[in-house]
Amino acid sequence: MPDYQTSPRTHTAVVGLQWGDEGKGKIVDLLTSRNDVIVRYNGGANAGHTVVVGTERYAVHLIPSGILNADKMCVIGNGVVVDPEKLLEEIDSLRVRGIEVGDNLRVSDRAHVVMPYHKVHDAALETVLAARAEAGGRNLSIGTTRRGIGPAYADKIHRSTAVRMGDLLDEGRLLERLSVICSLRTAELAALGVDAPPLDPAALTAKYGAFGRRLASHIEDTTYLLHDCHRAGRSILFEGANACLLDIDHGTYPYVTSSNCSALGIPAGTGIPGALIGRVYGIMKAYSTRVGEGPFPTELHDETGHRIRERGHEYGTTTGRPRRCGWLDLVAVRYSAMICGVTSLACMLLDVLSGLPELRLCTKYRLPDGSTTDRFIPDAARLAGVEPIYETLPGWSEEIVDATERTRLPENARRYLDRIETITGVPIEIISVGPERTQTLVTT
Ligand code: IMP
């Protein structure tokens, strides 16, 4: 056995510090060249990473974006919920574009499967909850991506109604499980108002067994695989999906996703102890966005919010929904950096702010009783009652998309970045000024 007590903290993590869509894919792509193995540890096809290489734009949902580099191993860890149909679509669409997907993609046999009834359940529950609003009640829907994420994780916790990737490789076992699951789920879906024929265990077994056969060469025990890589001295990059404020335990509950998407999810979602991770990159936009429901203290409903949405192309990669936009909330970012143990920040989409006469940074919240706090409130109902307290900084008019060094940025842009560092206490080591790989200022 290796001496884990003295193992160096060699591995790296990339996590989003806001409500998702911070541009993690671009940073993972950048850091991929410095690492050997790229690992997803949470979430499912609710995430969407876009990477632009030259004139080509790649959107991946389940496969780590490191797949664009053929010599890297990409791993989907046990903490991910995998929709095999979507995974196969993604593999096929990458192969059509000449990207190799073979031995370089490994999927945990213990990752849970998103089944079709999970997606139907997700959408039906959201519809029922949203319909309350039409009847004069409060809309209690979460605004999910309807990708079946919550119901799949719920089954993981239920245990008796779960299906894991390894189960797809044994049709006898799969049929046995699905026979029970289908009768229970048919009744539950009917109770949610779904008008559909009963779920058919034999048909589902045939379809998902076939997916299993196609994916068989990728499915294995990834925990031992990752420890073997660690012992062999290979460096691992953990790629967070979704983001810290959507973490099931530490986010703005209940308006969160169903996994631990902060860096705290890495050990449980991969089997690699947190003590082996030495660097954590926290990815943040130069402003804030959110999709779906939930509190957002710095949200802008005015022309500035509209301008940020259009300049930043703030429409969802996964669902196409327009994102809610607002000023940078540093109370939230500082909290996420604390939870994730962030060692350096990447500030994305700084170019989107060019041309705004002044910029605001939220540094504190005013509570309903008039007192102030610089602590985040990871509870939706209480967070909805705060008022942001801003520091106002002058903006810059110059376009910065061609900037090559931080020191050459307009003075007010540098001042904005300096304030972020001072308030969060974390150095900004990467600044992104455009979607291209080349539009990235790296200071380490
Ligand atoms: P779910 O993950 O589909 O259950 O959605 C729960 C909430 O998380 C919704 O508000 C989604 O919009 C949000 N969400 C989930 N994944 C992402 C992401 O990758 N980016 C941004 N929001 C996300």
Side-chain angles (χ1 to χ4, degrees), residues 19-21 46-47 142-145 149 242 246 256-257 291-292 321:
W19 283 285
D21 315 307
N46 53 353
I142 304 288
T144 73
T145 60
I149 306 298
N242 326 120
L246 293 171
V256 292
T257 188
V291 266
R321 291 181 288 180

Side-chain angles (χ1 to χ4, degrees), residues 138-401:
R138 205 159 66 81
N139 179 353
L140 291 178
S141 67
I142 304 288
T144 73
T145 60
R146 302 185 172 213
R147 296 291 189 273
I149 306 298
Y153 277 114
D155 270 345
K156 173 176 178 171
I157 304 302
H158 282 312
R159 294 151 294 162
S160 44
T161 48
V163 177
R164 306 202 291 185
M165 290 303 286
D167 295 330
L168 301 185
L169 305 179
D170 179 342
E171 285 197 31
R173 191 165 75 198
L174 186 60
L175 180 61
E176 185 186 43
R177 295 188 78 75
L178 283 173
S179 300
V180 178
I181 294 168
C182 284
S183 61
L184 291 169
R185 281 297 123 85
T186 298
E188 279 172 26
L189 293 179
L192 281 171
V194 175
D195 182 17
L199 293 165
D200 177 350
L204 271 180
T205 302
K207 184 168 177 186
Y208 281 73
F211 291 151
R213 284 194 294 283
R214 280 198 61 198
L215 290 168
S217 61
H218 302 283
I219 299 174
E220 67 179 275
D221 180 336
T222 54
T223 300
Y224 268 110
L225 171 75
L226 291 174
H227 280 269
D228 288 344
C229 290
H230 169 71
R231 284 174 219 168
R234 301 178 78 189
S235 55
I236 305 174
L237 178 64
F238 297 95
E239 172 178 353
N242 326 120
C244 190
L245 300 178
L246 293 171
D247 186 287
I248 183 79
D249 286 294
H250 302 284
T252 50
Y253 195 89
Y255 298 101
V256 292
T257 188
S258 305
S259 66
N260 285 116
C261 29
S262 65
L264 298 168
I266 297 172
T270 63
I272 289 289
L276 297 183
I277 299 166
R279 301 208 70 178
V280 181
Y281 285 87
I283 318 303
M284 52 168 283
K285 285 182 187 177
Y287 48 90
S288 310
T289 63
R290 171 158 212 175
V291 266
E293 306 297 328
F296 181 178
T298 61
E299 183 168 10
L300 291 166
H301 297 283
D302 58 6
E303 181 49 35
T304 306
H306 176 72
R307 187 195 151 107
I308 292 175
R309 181 175 311 109
E310 294 312 310
R311 273 194 66 118
H313 309 291
E314 293 295 354
Y315 294 88
T317 319
T318 303
T319 59
R321 291 181 288 180
R323 298 181 185 137
R324 300 156 66 193
C325 298
W327 295 121
L328 181 55
D329 184 343
L330 285 177
V331 179
V333 169
R334 191 173 40 204
Y335 163 80
S336 296
M338 173 181 82
I339 294 295
C340 295
V342 165
T343 56
S344 26
L345 292 173
C347 182
M348 314 301 289
L349 292 136
L350 187 64
D351 54 302
V352 172
L353 299 182
S354 288
L356 288 172
E358 59 178 31
L359 303 167
R360 291 176 161 204
L361 290 174
C362 171
T363 55
K364 284 186 183 170
Y365 297 147
R366 191 177 313 284
L367 303 175
D369 67 2
S371 63
T372 62
T373 182
D374 61 2
R375 294 189 167 205
F376 189 67
I377 303 171
D379 173 82
R382 289 179 54 224
L383 187 64
V386 310
E387 188 192 316
I389 299 177
Y390 291 113
E391 205 175 282
T392 303
L393 275 77
W396 60 92
S397 54
E398 303 90 326
E399 290 298 342
I400 58 172
V401 289

